[in-house]
Amino acid sequence: MATLTVPPVPPSPRDDAVQLYRAFKGMGCDTSAVINILAHRDATQRAYIQQEYKTMYSEELSKRLASELSGNLETAVLMWLKDPAGRDAAIIRKSLIEIRDNIGATEVICSRTPSQLQYLKQIYHSLFGVYLENDIQATTSPGSDHQKLLLAYISTPRPEGPEVNREIAQKDAKALYKAGEKKLGTDEKTFIHIFSERSAAHLATVSAYYHDMYGHSLKKAIKKETSGPFEHALLTIIQCAIHPGKYFAKVLHKAMKGFGTNDSTLIRVIVTRTEVDMQYIKAEYSKKHRKTLNDEVHSETSGHYRAFLLSLLGPNI
Protein backbone atom coordinates (compact mmCIF):
# COMPACT_ATOMS: atom_id res chain seq x y z
CA MET A 1 0.00 0.00 0.00
CA ALA A 2 1.08 3.52 -0.85
CA THR A 3 1.65 6.31 1.70
CA LEU A 4 0.97 9.15 -0.72
CA THR A 5 -1.78 11.45 0.55
CA VAL A 6 -3.70 13.30 -2.17
CA PRO A 7 -6.41 15.92 -1.46
CA PRO A 8 -9.94 14.43 -1.74
CA VAL A 9 -10.71 17.07 -4.38
CA PRO A 10 -7.31 18.08 -5.81
CA PRO A 11 -6.95 21.41 -7.62
CA SER A 12 -6.79 21.28 -11.41
CA PRO A 13 -3.33 20.80 -12.96
CA ARG A 14 -3.68 24.35 -14.32
CA ASP A 15 -4.26 25.76 -10.82
CA ASP A 16 -1.28 23.80 -9.49
CA ALA A 17 0.90 25.13 -12.31
CA VAL A 18 -0.14 28.72 -11.49
CA GLN A 19 0.60 28.19 -7.77
CA LEU A 20 4.02 26.74 -8.58
CA TYR A 21 4.84 29.69 -10.84
CA ARG A 22 3.86 32.06 -8.04
CA ALA A 23 6.10 30.12 -5.63
CA PHE A 24 9.06 30.76 -7.96
CA LYS A 25 8.41 34.50 -8.40
CA GLY A 26 10.01 37.21 -6.31
CA MET A 27 13.00 36.98 -4.01
CA GLY A 28 13.73 33.32 -3.35
CA CYS A 29 11.51 30.32 -3.84
CA ASP A 30 8.54 29.52 -1.59
CA THR A 31 9.82 25.97 -1.09
CA SER A 32 7.07 25.02 1.37
CA ALA A 33 4.44 25.79 -1.27
CA VAL A 34 6.29 23.65 -3.84
CA ILE A 35 6.45 20.72 -1.38
CA ASN A 36 2.78 21.10 -0.37
CA ILE A 37 1.74 20.73 -3.99
CA LEU A 38 4.13 18.17 -5.48
CA ALA A 39 4.41 15.83 -2.47
CA HIS A 40 0.63 15.37 -2.54
CA ARG A 41 0.00 14.57 -6.21
CA ASP A 42 0.15 11.13 -7.81
CA ALA A 43 2.17 10.25 -10.93
CA THR A 44 -0.67 11.06 -13.36
CA GLN A 45 -1.41 14.39 -11.67
CA ARG A 46 2.30 15.32 -11.71
CA ALA A 47 2.46 14.57 -15.45
CA TYR A 48 -0.54 16.84 -16.13
CA ILE A 49 0.94 19.62 -13.98
CA GLN A 50 4.15 19.48 -16.03
CA GLN A 51 2.18 19.65 -19.30
CA GLU A 52 0.16 22.65 -18.09
CA TYR A 53 3.25 24.42 -16.78
CA LYS A 54 5.05 24.08 -20.11
CA THR A 55 1.97 25.22 -22.06
CA MET A 56 1.44 28.28 -19.86
CA TYR A 57 5.02 29.41 -19.22
CA SER A 58 7.02 27.93 -22.15
CA GLU A 59 9.56 26.23 -19.91
CA GLU A 60 9.99 22.79 -18.39
CA LEU A 61 8.90 22.59 -14.76
CA SER A 62 11.86 20.29 -14.06
CA LYS A 63 14.32 22.92 -15.34
CA ARG A 64 12.73 25.63 -13.22
CA LEU A 65 12.84 23.41 -10.13
CA ALA A 66 16.50 22.60 -10.81
CA SER A 67 17.29 26.33 -10.81
CA GLU A 68 15.20 27.07 -7.69
CA LEU A 69 16.15 24.12 -5.46
CA SER A 70 19.50 22.62 -4.50
CA GLY A 71 21.19 19.70 -2.78
CA ASN A 72 19.28 16.62 -1.63
CA LEU A 73 15.93 18.40 -1.90
CA GLU A 74 16.53 19.12 -5.59
CA THR A 75 17.57 15.49 -6.19
CA ALA A 76 14.49 14.13 -4.40
CA VAL A 77 11.94 16.48 -5.99
CA LEU A 78 13.28 15.98 -9.54
CA MET A 79 13.26 12.20 -9.07
CA TRP A 80 9.68 12.36 -7.73
CA LEU A 81 8.56 14.47 -10.70
CA LYS A 82 9.32 11.69 -13.19
CA ASP A 83 6.89 8.93 -14.14
CA PRO A 84 7.81 5.57 -12.50
CA ALA A 85 9.36 3.95 -15.60
CA GLY A 86 11.30 7.08 -16.58
CA ARG A 87 12.50 7.40 -13.01
CA ASP A 88 13.70 3.78 -12.92
CA ALA A 89 15.50 4.33 -16.23
CA ALA A 90 17.22 7.46 -14.88
CA ILE A 91 18.29 5.69 -11.67
CA ILE A 92 19.76 2.78 -13.63
CA ARG A 93 21.53 5.07 -16.10
CA LYS A 94 23.08 7.16 -13.31
CA SER A 95 24.15 4.05 -11.40
CA LEU A 96 25.74 2.40 -14.45
CA ILE A 97 27.25 5.40 -16.25
CA GLU A 98 27.85 8.18 -13.70
CA ILE A 99 28.36 6.58 -10.29
CA ARG A 100 29.51 3.24 -11.77
CA ASP A 101 28.74 1.31 -8.59
CA ASN A 102 25.81 -0.73 -10.04
CA ILE A 103 24.06 -0.75 -6.64
CA GLY A 104 21.05 1.35 -7.65
CA ALA A 105 20.82 -0.39 -11.03
CA THR A 106 20.92 -3.85 -9.47
CA GLU A 107 18.30 -2.92 -6.85
CA VAL A 108 15.88 -1.49 -9.40
CA ILE A 109 16.27 -4.26 -11.98
CA CYS A 110 16.05 -7.12 -9.47
CA SER A 111 12.98 -5.73 -7.66
CA ARG A 112 10.75 -5.05 -10.66
CA THR A 113 8.22 -7.34 -12.36
CA PRO A 114 8.82 -8.73 -15.88
CA SER A 115 6.18 -6.41 -17.40
CA GLN A 116 7.72 -3.40 -15.62
CA LEU A 117 11.14 -4.40 -16.96
CA GLN A 118 9.87 -4.75 -20.53
CA TYR A 119 8.37 -1.25 -20.44
CA LEU A 120 11.46 0.10 -18.67
CA LYS A 121 13.69 -1.20 -21.49
CA GLN A 122 11.59 0.69 -24.08
CA ILE A 123 11.69 3.91 -22.04
CA TYR A 124 15.43 3.52 -21.45
CA HIS A 125 16.09 3.33 -25.19
CA SER A 126 13.81 6.27 -26.00
CA LEU A 127 15.42 8.45 -23.29
CA PHE A 128 19.09 7.60 -23.81
CA GLY A 129 19.29 6.26 -27.37
CA VAL A 130 21.01 3.08 -26.25
CA TYR A 131 19.73 -0.35 -25.26
CA LEU A 132 19.82 -1.18 -21.54
CA GLU A 133 21.52 -4.49 -22.39
CA ASN A 134 24.38 -2.58 -24.05
CA ASP A 135 24.89 -0.34 -21.02
CA ILE A 136 24.93 -3.35 -18.70
CA GLN A 137 27.50 -5.09 -20.90
CA ALA A 138 29.65 -1.94 -21.08
CA THR A 139 29.66 -1.15 -17.35
CA THR A 140 29.66 -4.48 -15.50
CA SER A 141 32.60 -6.89 -15.31
CA PRO A 142 32.80 -8.69 -18.70
CA GLY A 143 31.51 -12.24 -18.47
CA SER A 144 30.86 -11.94 -14.71
CA ASP A 145 28.03 -13.84 -13.04
CA HIS A 146 26.53 -10.49 -12.02
CA GLN A 147 26.45 -9.37 -15.67
CA LYS A 148 24.99 -12.69 -16.84
CA LEU A 149 22.26 -12.57 -14.18
CA LEU A 150 21.22 -8.98 -14.96
CA LEU A 151 21.10 -9.66 -18.71
CA ALA A 152 19.08 -12.85 -18.18
CA TYR A 153 16.76 -11.16 -15.68
CA ILE A 154 15.77 -8.29 -18.00
CA SER A 155 15.27 -10.50 -21.05
CA THR A 156 13.66 -13.72 -19.78
CA PRO A 157 9.83 -13.85 -19.74
CA ARG A 158 8.50 -14.92 -16.32
CA PRO A 159 4.94 -15.46 -15.12
CA GLU A 160 3.67 -12.84 -12.64
CA GLY A 161 0.71 -14.68 -11.09
CA PRO A 162 0.49 -16.56 -7.77
CA GLU A 163 0.42 -20.04 -9.38
CA VAL A 164 3.24 -22.37 -8.34
CA ASN A 165 4.11 -25.92 -9.40
CA ARG A 166 5.22 -27.29 -6.03
CA GLU A 167 6.95 -30.30 -7.54
CA ILE A 168 9.19 -28.08 -9.69
CA ALA A 169 9.77 -25.72 -6.72
CA GLN A 170 11.00 -28.65 -4.63
CA LYS A 171 13.28 -29.79 -7.46
CA ASP A 172 14.66 -26.25 -7.76
CA ALA A 173 15.43 -26.16 -4.04
CA LYS A 174 17.36 -29.44 -4.38
CA ALA A 175 19.16 -28.16 -7.50
CA LEU A 176 20.27 -24.99 -5.69
CA TYR A 177 21.56 -27.01 -2.73
CA LYS A 178 23.42 -29.32 -5.09
CA ALA A 179 24.86 -26.31 -7.01
CA GLY A 180 25.94 -24.52 -3.85
CA GLU A 181 26.30 -25.88 -0.34
CA LYS A 182 26.58 -29.53 -1.28
CA LYS A 183 29.62 -29.13 -3.53
CA LEU A 184 33.06 -27.62 -3.37
CA GLY A 185 32.79 -24.33 -5.20
CA THR A 186 29.54 -23.01 -6.65
CA ASP A 187 27.70 -23.80 -9.88
CA GLU A 188 26.62 -20.22 -10.62
CA LYS A 189 24.86 -21.23 -13.86
CA THR A 190 22.17 -23.07 -11.88
CA PHE A 191 21.55 -20.03 -9.68
CA ILE A 192 21.32 -17.75 -12.73
CA HIS A 193 18.98 -20.15 -14.54
CA ILE A 194 16.52 -20.57 -11.64
CA PHE A 195 16.58 -16.96 -10.42
CA SER A 196 16.05 -15.47 -13.89
CA GLU A 197 13.40 -17.92 -15.16
CA ARG A 198 11.10 -18.46 -12.16
CA SER A 199 8.31 -16.19 -10.96
CA ALA A 200 8.44 -14.36 -7.63
CA ALA A 201 5.75 -16.66 -6.18
CA HIS A 202 7.73 -19.71 -7.33
CA LEU A 203 11.00 -18.43 -5.80
CA ALA A 204 9.25 -17.72 -2.49
CA THR A 205 8.08 -21.35 -2.49
CA VAL A 206 11.57 -22.58 -3.40
CA SER A 207 12.91 -20.62 -0.42
CA ALA A 208 10.36 -22.22 1.92
CA TYR A 209 11.24 -25.74 0.66
CA TYR A 210 14.96 -24.96 1.02
CA HIS A 211 14.49 -24.04 4.67
CA ASP A 212 12.34 -27.12 5.35
CA MET A 213 14.81 -29.50 3.70
CA TYR A 214 18.15 -28.05 4.82
CA GLY A 215 17.37 -26.31 8.13
CA HIS A 216 18.35 -22.76 7.14
CA SER A 217 17.33 -20.10 4.67
CA LEU A 218 18.22 -19.87 1.00
CA LYS A 219 19.31 -16.31 1.78
CA LYS A 220 21.93 -17.68 4.19
CA ALA A 221 23.13 -20.13 1.55
CA ILE A 222 23.49 -17.30 -1.02
CA LYS A 223 25.58 -15.27 1.45
CA LYS A 224 27.79 -18.30 2.07
CA GLU A 225 28.22 -19.30 -1.57
CA THR A 226 28.43 -15.98 -3.44
CA SER A 227 29.85 -12.48 -2.98
CA GLY A 228 29.94 -8.93 -4.34
CA PRO A 229 27.45 -7.64 -6.93
CA PHE A 230 26.31 -11.19 -7.83
CA GLU A 231 25.36 -11.82 -4.19
CA HIS A 232 23.58 -8.45 -4.04
CA ALA A 233 21.52 -9.29 -7.16
CA LEU A 234 20.52 -12.78 -5.93
CA LEU A 235 19.60 -11.47 -2.47
CA THR A 236 17.50 -8.66 -3.96
CA ILE A 237 15.60 -11.09 -6.18
CA ILE A 238 14.90 -13.64 -3.43
CA GLN A 239 14.04 -11.09 -0.73
CA CYS A 240 11.71 -9.14 -3.03
CA ALA A 241 10.05 -12.43 -3.99
CA ILE A 242 9.42 -13.32 -0.34
CA HIS A 243 8.72 -9.92 1.26
CA PRO A 244 9.65 -6.69 -0.53
CA GLY A 245 8.56 -4.58 2.46
CA LYS A 246 11.06 -6.33 4.70
CA TYR A 247 13.82 -5.99 2.11
CA PHE A 248 13.39 -2.25 1.60
CA ALA A 249 13.06 -1.63 5.35
CA LYS A 250 16.48 -3.24 5.69
CA VAL A 251 17.94 -1.13 2.85
CA LEU A 252 16.63 2.05 4.50
CA HIS A 253 17.98 1.09 7.92
CA LYS A 254 21.41 0.41 6.43
CA ALA A 255 21.32 3.83 4.70
CA MET A 256 20.78 5.61 8.03
CA LYS A 257 22.81 3.37 10.35
CA GLY A 258 26.04 4.61 11.94
CA PHE A 259 27.77 7.89 11.20
CA GLY A 260 26.28 9.88 8.34
CA THR A 261 23.42 9.06 6.00
CA ASN A 262 23.48 7.56 2.51
CA ASP A 263 21.10 10.14 1.06
CA SER A 264 21.10 8.72 -2.47
CA THR A 265 19.76 5.39 -1.13
CA LEU A 266 17.31 7.12 1.21
CA ILE A 267 15.91 9.24 -1.64
CA ARG A 268 15.85 6.36 -4.15
CA VAL A 269 13.89 3.99 -1.91
CA ILE A 270 11.43 6.51 -0.46
CA VAL A 271 10.68 8.11 -3.83
CA THR A 272 10.31 4.82 -5.75
CA ARG A 273 8.24 2.98 -3.10
CA THR A 274 5.90 5.77 -1.87
CA GLU A 275 3.25 4.94 -4.48
CA VAL A 276 3.84 1.17 -4.26
CA ASP A 277 4.26 -0.44 -0.84
CA MET A 278 5.62 2.13 1.63
CA GLN A 279 2.94 1.26 4.23
CA TYR A 280 4.36 -2.28 4.41
CA ILE A 281 7.93 -0.98 4.54
CA LYS A 282 7.03 1.33 7.45
CA ALA A 283 5.30 -1.51 9.30
CA GLU A 284 8.32 -3.79 8.88
CA TYR A 285 10.68 -1.01 9.93
CA SER A 286 8.80 -0.38 13.18
CA LYS A 287 8.54 -4.09 13.92
CA LYS A 288 12.25 -4.69 13.43
CA HIS A 289 13.77 -1.53 14.93
CA ARG A 290 11.16 -0.42 17.50
CA LYS A 291 11.31 3.05 16.02
CA THR A 292 9.16 4.43 13.23
CA LEU A 293 10.69 5.11 9.83
CA ASN A 294 9.33 8.67 10.07
CA ASP A 295 11.20 9.27 13.35
CA GLU A 296 14.42 7.84 11.89
CA VAL A 297 14.17 10.00 8.76
CA HIS A 298 13.36 13.04 10.94
CA SER A 299 16.52 12.51 12.99
CA GLU A 300 18.75 11.94 9.93
CA THR A 301 17.60 14.84 7.73
CA SER A 302 16.78 18.53 8.09
CA GLY A 303 15.00 21.53 6.61
CA HIS A 304 12.86 21.34 3.48
CA TYR A 305 14.55 18.08 2.48
CA ARG A 306 13.21 16.50 5.69
CA ALA A 307 9.77 18.04 5.13
CA PHE A 308 9.56 16.63 1.60
CA LEU A 309 10.55 13.06 2.57
CA LEU A 310 8.19 13.08 5.57
CA SER A 311 5.36 14.31 3.34
CA LEU A 312 5.90 11.29 1.08
CA LEU A 313 6.03 8.93 4.08
CA GLY A 314 2.63 10.09 5.32
CA PRO A 315 1.39 10.18 8.94
CA ASN A 316 3.75 8.94 11.66
CA ILE A 317 1.72 5.99 12.93
Side-chain angles (χ1 to χ4, degrees), residues 4 38 41-44 46 50 75-95 104-105 108-109 112 116 119-120 123-124 127-128 267-276 308 312:
L4 178 68
L38 294 179
R41 302 293 184 271
D42 64 29
T44 304
R46 297 193 303 273
Q50 289 179 82
T75 303
V77 171
L78 291 179
M79 191 182 286
W80 175 246
L81 207 59
K82 297 177 190 292
D83 68 284
R87 181 168 59 219
D88 280 352
I91 291 168
I92 292 170
R93 176 79 174 178
K94 187 173 182 179
S95 173
V108 168
I109 289 168
R112 302 303 188 254
Q116 285 172 330
Y119 183 51
L120 164 62
I123 296 295
Y124 195 94
L127 286 173
F128 307 117
I267 292 166
R268 182 180 70 243
V269 175
I270 291 177
V271 167
T272 58
R273 307 312 291 189
T274 287
E275 293 181 272
V276 184
F308 181 69
L312 297 185

Side-chain angles (χ1 to χ4, degrees), residues 210-254:
Y210 198 98
H211 192 277
D212 290 347
M213 290 191 288
Y214 306 113
H216 57 264
S217 68
L218 179 54
K219 179 180 153 186
K220 190 175 178 181
I222 290 166
K223 285 182 171 180
K224 185 179 161 189
E225 293 296 319
T226 63
S227 63
F230 183 51
E231 177 192 357
H232 177 215
L234 291 172
L235 288 174
T236 303
I237 293 167
I238 197 66
Q239 288 175 106
C240 286
I242 299 165
H243 198 322
K246 214 170 185 176
Y247 170 74
F248 284 109
K250 190 175 179 181
V251 173
L252 285 168
H253 180 67
K254 192 178 173 186

Side-chain angles (χ1 to χ4, degrees), residues 30-58:
D30 184 351
T31 309
S32 295
V34 172
I35 291 170
N36 288 337
I37 295 169
L38 294 179
H40 299 287
R41 302 293 184 271
D42 64 29
T44 304
Q45 290 165 336
R46 297 193 303 273
Y48 284 133
I49 291 167
Q50 289 179 82
Q51 285 174 16
E52 284 291 344
Y53 192 91
K54 188 173 184 182
T55 302
M56 294 169 75
Y57 305 112
S58 302

Side-chain angles (χ1 to χ4, degrees), residues 157-168:
R158 287 178 297 282
E160 293 184 33
E163 305 81 14
V164 174
N165 183 320
R166 295 192 166 271
E167 193 182 333
I168 295 174

Side-chain angles (χ1 to χ4, degrees), residues 1-7 38-42 46 80 252 269-286 293-294 297 307-317:
M1 281 174 62
T3 51
L4 178 68
T5 53
V6 175
L38 294 179
H40 299 287
R41 302 293 184 271
D42 64 29
R46 297 193 303 273
W80 175 246
L252 285 168
V269 175
I270 291 177
V271 167
T272 58
R273 307 312 291 189
T274 287
E275 293 181 272
V276 184
D277 55 1
M278 187 51 78
Q279 291 283 19
Y280 299 118
I281 295 169
K282 284 170 69 174
E284 285 301 321
Y285 199 97
S286 301
L293 179 57
N294 291 56
V297 169
F308 181 69
L309 293 185
L310 291 177
S311 294
L312 297 185
L313 289 175
N316 189 11
I317 300 167

Side-chain angles (χ1 to χ4, degrees), residues 14 19 33 45 74 135 154 172 188 215 233 235 242 252 260 270:
R14 188 183 179 85
Q19 291 305 317
Q45 290 165 336
E74 179 193 346
D135 271 353
I154 63 169
D172 282 346
E188 290 87 357
L235 288 174
I242 299 165
L252 285 168
I270 291 177

